[in-house]
Amino acid sequence: MSLVRVAAVVVRRSAAAVLVLAVLSVLIFAVTEVLPGDAVGAVAGTDATMSDREQLRREFGLDAHPVRRYVEWAGAAVQGDLGTGYVGRREVTEVLAERLPNSLLLTTLAMAMAVPLAVVIGLLAGMRAGRRTDRLVSTAALVAVGIPEFLVAALLVAVFAAGLGLLPEVSLVPLGGRPWDEPRILVLPVAALSVAALAAAARLLRASVAEIAAAPYVEAARLRGVTGLQLAVRHVLPNAVAPAVQVTVVMFAGLIGGAVVVETLFNYPGIGYELQQAVANRDVPMVQGLALATCATALVILLLGDLVQLALSPTLRGRS
């Protein structure tokens, strides 16, 4: 595919991503508008009078019409200003700069652990579709996908922290430090996220491998005497990986903002933990800013995934 066609694909997909982000911004604002209560109650305290609360509502701009507030919020977001949280008066961009790298680290490590294992397991099961190995792997993956993340995290803590005492129960980051300063605090959160990702990716890759393995050109390779690892790696895997890439990228993007349960359970200082705290405090600007930034990050990752899939799939390159 020429550079001109690559540029055209990037421009077309980027325009679609901007449109999707605009729609998501409306949804985020609308959802936070209908949430019961607001931060005035949390900030003012139980002793505040009605007059004090009304004064705070005016200071926060909550007395303006929702449409006007959305236009002002979206306009500021376009310029890079995501607002200031009600609780603690923290800039949303500062919170993002502090928390987003932590979430990206956690998600990247989880996917780095899950994807290679998923390739091996998916290839093993897909090349033996319908046999005992396939049934065993498929059943185990189905069970793993169905186990909630909080239960996986609780089991890991019970065994490796409370039971064996090998790892910390919570991911406490040293004051002024980063999670990578203490690699031990990353092990259990990464493992908890990896289980579901591994199982889902293995199932997807297994299905893709089984489909490719039944293709005529693979059968022709078998007839030429190509079997075993050579058949799997040279003739099946290259064509089976491309369809699974997009789904894997979607999982990666979803984990960034979706690891709320794991980050909260381990007290891990990521976007998911911060978002949970903001929702609990009815800190609307923080919720809106973090949610919008998370959606934008996910869309960028999905765009990169599209490009990788195009590079790997001859069929899609032809369509584009």
Side-chain angles (χ1 to χ4, degrees):
M1 188 164 52
S2 67
L3 289 177
V4 175
R5 295 181 67 183
V6 171
V9 171
V10 171
V11 170
R12 191 165 61 246
R13 300 289 173 87
S14 299
V18 170
L19 181 61
V20 170
L21 188 61
V23 173
L24 288 174
S25 72
V26 175
L27 292 176
I28 291 169
F29 190 87
V31 168
T32 52
E33 278 293 306
V34 299
L35 285 175
D38 55 39
V40 171
V43 174
T46 55
D47 298 332
T49 63
M50 286 300 296
S51 176
D52 294 333
R53 293 173 185 270
E54 287 302 320
Q55 177 64 28
L56 275 175
R57 289 185 63 81
R58 285 193 292 273
E59 289 180 7
F60 291 160
L62 296 175
D63 56 335
H65 192 278
V67 174
R68 178 182 173 184
R69 284 190 281 122
Y70 169 76
V71 172
E72 292 177 349
W73 172 68
V78 170
Q79 301 175 43
D81 180 9
L82 293 175
T84 303
Y86 294 149
V87 180
R89 306 304 295 170
R90 296 180 300 166
E91 296 283 342
V92 176
T93 50
E94 292 180 2
V95 175
L96 273 173
E98 181 182 353
R99 304 295 192 178
L100 186 58
N102 297 345
S103 289
L104 286 174
L105 174 67
L106 191 68
T107 307
T108 302
L109 289 175
M111 295 304 291
M113 178 183 289
V115 171
L117 289 174
V119 170
V120 174
I121 295 172
L123 198 59
L124 183 67
M127 293 299 292
R128 292 172 170 76
R131 300 180 189 177
R132 181 179 299 177
T133 303
D134 177 37
R135 291 195 295 272
L136 181 63
V137 170
S138 297
T139 302
L142 187 62
V143 171
V145 168
I147 299 176
E149 286 181 346
F150 76 89
L151 185 55
V152 175
L155 289 172
L156 290 172
V157 169
V159 174
F160 295 101
L164 301 176
L166 298 176
L167 296 166
E169 296 181 358
V170 293
S171 300
L172 294 178
V173 178
L175 188 62
R178 288 290 194 176
W180 51 82
D181 295 332
E182 289 285 342
R184 293 176 72 247
I185 67 175
L186 291 166
V187 176
L188 291 184
V190 167
L193 284 178
S194 298
V195 171
L198 168 62
R203 281 174 55 81
L204 292 169
L205 198 61
R206 178 264 170 207
S208 184
V209 167
E211 181 180 353
I212 298 297
Y217 80 92
V218 176
E219 186 61 29
R222 287 195 182 95
L223 294 175
R224 292 197 305 271
V226 181
T227 58
L229 187 62
Q230 185 181 9
L231 179 68
V233 174
R234 292 190 58 184
H235 296 276
V236 176
L237 187 59
N239 291 298
V241 165
V245 166
Q246 187 61 30
V247 179
T248 304
V249 170
V250 170
M251 291 169 52
F252 178 70
L255 282 179
I256 293 176
V260 176
V261 174
V262 170
E263 290 187 1
T264 302
L265 278 173
F266 289 100
N267 203 25
Y268 183 82
I271 288 292
Y273 176 80
E274 199 67 45
L275 193 57
Q276 185 271 334
Q277 293 292 311
V279 171
N281 292 324
R282 303 293 191 273
D283 193 346
V284 173
M286 188 63 70
V287 173
Q288 291 172 339
L290 292 179
L292 187 65
T294 302
C295 290
T297 304
L299 288 172
V300 170
I301 293 172
L302 292 176
L303 178 61
L304 294 175
D306 284 346
L307 296 178
V308 172
Q309 191 179 23
L310 282 172
L312 292 174
S313 173
T315 304
L316 291 178
R317 284 202 300 272
R319 291 176 186 170
S320 299

